[in-house]
């Protein structure tokens, strides 16, 4: 059964880590409502929501994607690049251990799940402010027995690799070419985000449904032209925390 792990929003979300954005005040009540709408949309897409333990003391705890990466054969628990985020992983590992065998990134490796893009048996990992080459080597060693290839790609102009690129279908990517070099993906088809929507490459597609922030109407139009029924949700408060749609769940298909 497809499952989405999520976590409740911390009342300290306004103190979250920021890398490329200036701090703007976050309305916590509004953020909680938006997170609830996000979970309802994932349910509409066929996922059962399973919430991991609350972590009210961890400002970024809702951005659970960064704590683990799930493959059919195993899950890899990360060691997040921001020190304040390292305590987020333990409670996620407890839940994920019920679904998969676990491997864990260790010192001196650091890696955020938002830097990991899986395309079949090819895994691309952003070398970013959060993710380093030691962690990529460990990741590669964990996956080698299962036939995956792992490649590090530079990410300098946005927080994570998946801030700049989204998997729409197995063979179709949506890319912001200002932030990621599309020639890194020669065996895939791609389209570019609309220039007025640089954060548009952060949508979630499943079957004929696409989840898209309502702030990105051009991206939504593009998805409709590709044949998707688009579910629009307001993510204004999460965007202030430098988070995209994928950041707030771990999807187990
Ligand atoms: N606020 C999201 C992050 O920086 O990890």
């Amino acid at each position: 059964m497809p499952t989405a792990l999520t976590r409740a929003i911390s009342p300290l979300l306004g103190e979250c880590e920021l890398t490329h954005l200036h701090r703007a005040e976050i309305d916590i009540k509004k953020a909680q409502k938006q997170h609830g709408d996000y979970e309802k949309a994932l349910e509409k897409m066929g996922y059962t929501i399973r919430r991991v333990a609350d972590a009210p003391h961890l400002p970024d705890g809702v951005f659970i994607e960064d704590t683990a990466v799930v493959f059919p054969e195993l899950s890899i628990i990360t060691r997040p690049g921001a020190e304040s985020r390292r305590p987020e992983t333990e409670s996620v590992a407890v839940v994920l251990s019920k679904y998969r065998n676990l491997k864990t990134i260790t010192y001196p490796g650091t890696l955020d799940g938002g830097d990991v893009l899986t395309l079949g048996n090819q895994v691309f990992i952003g070398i970013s402010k959060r993710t380093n080459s030691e962690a990529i080597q460990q990741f590669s060693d964990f996956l080698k027995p299962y036939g995956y290839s792992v490649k590090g790609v530079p990410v300098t102009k946005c927080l994570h690799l998946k801030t700049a690129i989204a998997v729409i279908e197995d063979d179709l990517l949506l890319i912001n070419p200002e932030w990621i070099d599309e020639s890194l993906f020669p065996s895939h088809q791609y389209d570019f985000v609309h220039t007025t929507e640089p954060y548009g490459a952060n949508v979630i597609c499943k079957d004929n449904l696409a989840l898209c922030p309502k702030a990105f109407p051009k991206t939504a139009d593009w998805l409709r032209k590709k044949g998707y029924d688009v579910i629009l949700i307001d993510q204004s408060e999460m965007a202030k925390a430098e988070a995209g749609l994928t950041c707030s769940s771990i999807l187990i298909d």
Side-chain angles (χ1 to χ4, degrees), residues 13 15-21 23 26 59-60 62-63 66 80 82 84-85 88 112 130 159-160 238-244 247:
L13 179 62
E15 297 167 30
C16 67
E17 296 283 340
L18 290 175
T19 306
H20 294 270
L21 294 185
R23 200 166 294 281
I26 293 178
D60 282 292
V62 65
F63 304 125
D66 292 320
S84 71
R85 301 200 57 189
E88 293 174 25
D112 281 8
R130 301 288 175 86
L159 179 56
H160 290 131
M238 305 305 236
K240 291 177 196 168
E242 207 166 359
C247 300

Side-chain angles (χ1 to χ4, degrees), residues 86-207:
R86 301 218 176 117
E88 293 174 25
T89 57
E90 201 177 320
S91 50
V92 175
V94 168
V95 175
L96 271 180
S97 66
K98 298 184 173 46
Y99 293 85
R100 300 282 192 279
N101 287 327
L102 303 183
K103 295 284 185 187
T104 303
I105 300 292
T106 54
Y107 176 88
T110 65
L111 183 140
D112 281 8
D115 273 320
V116 181
L117 182 82
T118 304
L119 299 170
N121 65 355
Q122 293 179 285
V123 181
F124 296 88
I125 305 186
I127 305 165
S128 67
K129 282 214 162 66
R130 301 288 175 86
T131 299
N132 64 20
S133 42
E134 287 88 347
I136 295 174
Q137 186 58 54
Q138 293 177 31
F139 210 96
S140 177
D141 292 344
F142 295 150
L143 288 178
K144 201 172 281 165
Y146 307 105
Y148 291 87
S149 70
V150 174
K151 183 175 181 188
V153 299
V155 173
T156 55
K157 294 185 182 153
C158 59
L159 179 56
H160 290 131
L161 177 60
K162 281 160 74 176
T163 316
I165 182 163
V167 182
I168 305 300
E169 289 157 18
D170 285 348
D171 192 30
L172 178 61
L173 309 176
L174 183 59
I175 294 179
N176 179 335
E178 298 291 320
W179 293 343
I180 196 80
D181 178 1
E182 70 276 11
S183 70
L184 293 165
F185 306 95
S187 49
H188 289 82
Q189 294 184 33
Y190 51 78
D191 218 331
F192 293 146
V193 293
H194 195 275
T195 49
T196 59
E197 296 179 6
Y199 286 91
N202 207 325
V203 298
I204 298 175
C205 296
K206 184 169 168 55
D207 305 324

